[in-house]
Amino acid sequence: MTAPIHRIFGRPMDGEIPKGFDQAIFGMGCYWGVERLFWQLDGVWLTEVGFAGGTVENPTYKQVCSGTTGHAEVVRVVYDSSRISYERLLQVFWENHDPTQGNRQGNDVGSQYRSLIMYFTDSQRAAAELSKADYNNRLAVEGYPAITTQILPAAPFYPAEEDHQQYLDRYPDGYCGLRGTGVEAPLTSPAEEN
């Protein structure tokens, strides 16, 4: 069986990551709208929805929705860091969901909808933690509770079923629960800190 092809980029979903490119994993609630958000960014090479952060190998969507796997719905983003920075991806992450809600996003309730960043390098970890602290302060000023986003080392990523990949390209009027707080997240870089 041939590998599925990304509907937007026309690349094999299981293709090798080009030399010099990087990966990121973000959980922001229901992954359909999150994937579309990232595939629209200049410099993103591939997106893939799936599951990470739990204890069950190769879970199905139905298993994850049962809340018994510990997995979150996430999007894996492969990007060209010479064209888009990790800090820019973080800015998009913070501004497009409410990271203060714990195990939910709006009406989507359950641990699979939690806010999650998985890092692949020490520099990603540092950037994620710095941006979280900065955005937490900005949200507090606007009366929001503390951010509940988990920042964890990259764990095994399990792709979701093929019909969930690029779902909102297949079904443009499909469900998208993305809702930001309206609070801006400026680009924050560890190099800017004195």
Side-chain angles (χ1 to χ4, degrees), residues 140-185:
V141 167
E142 299 299 326
Y144 282 89
I147 286 176
T148 60
T149 305
Q150 294 177 296
I151 299 176
L152 302 170
F157 169 87
Y158 300 105
E161 293 87 335
E162 186 177 348
D163 63 339
H164 284 259
Q165 305 295 338
Q166 299 88 61
Y167 184 86
L168 292 181
D169 183 64
R170 293 171 202 270
Y171 308 104
D173 296 326
Y175 172 74
C176 175
L178 279 184
R179 299 286 180 275
T181 60
V183 177
E184 288 186 13

Side-chain angles (χ1 to χ4, degrees), residues 90 94 117 119 123-134 151:
L90 287 168
W94 295 120
I117 298 170
Y119 59 85
S123 64
Q124 283 189 351
R125 179 185 55 76
E129 289 177 351
L130 181 65
S131 68
K132 178 180 177 180
D134 180 87
I151 299 176

Side-chain angles (χ1 to χ4, degrees), residues 22-26 28 34 37-47 75-81 83-97 116-118 120 124 127-128 131 185-188:
D22 293 298
Q23 297 186 76
I25 291 178
F26 299 110
M28 302 165 60
V34 177
L37 184 69
F38 284 106
W39 85 47
Q40 293 174 341
L41 297 176
D42 185 45
V44 168
W45 191 80
L46 194 80
T47 56
V75 175
R76 181 176 74 98
V77 179
V78 179
Y79 64 100
D80 179 353
S81 54
R83 294 176 59 201
I84 188 167
S85 68
Y86 186 65
E87 288 76 16
R88 172 66 180 131
L89 297 179
L90 287 168
Q91 183 182 44
V92 170
F93 169 81
W94 295 120
E95 288 184 351
N96 286 279
H97 77 303
L116 175 66
I117 298 170
M118 288 192 159
F120 288 85
Q124 283 189 351
S131 68
L187 286 175
T188 311

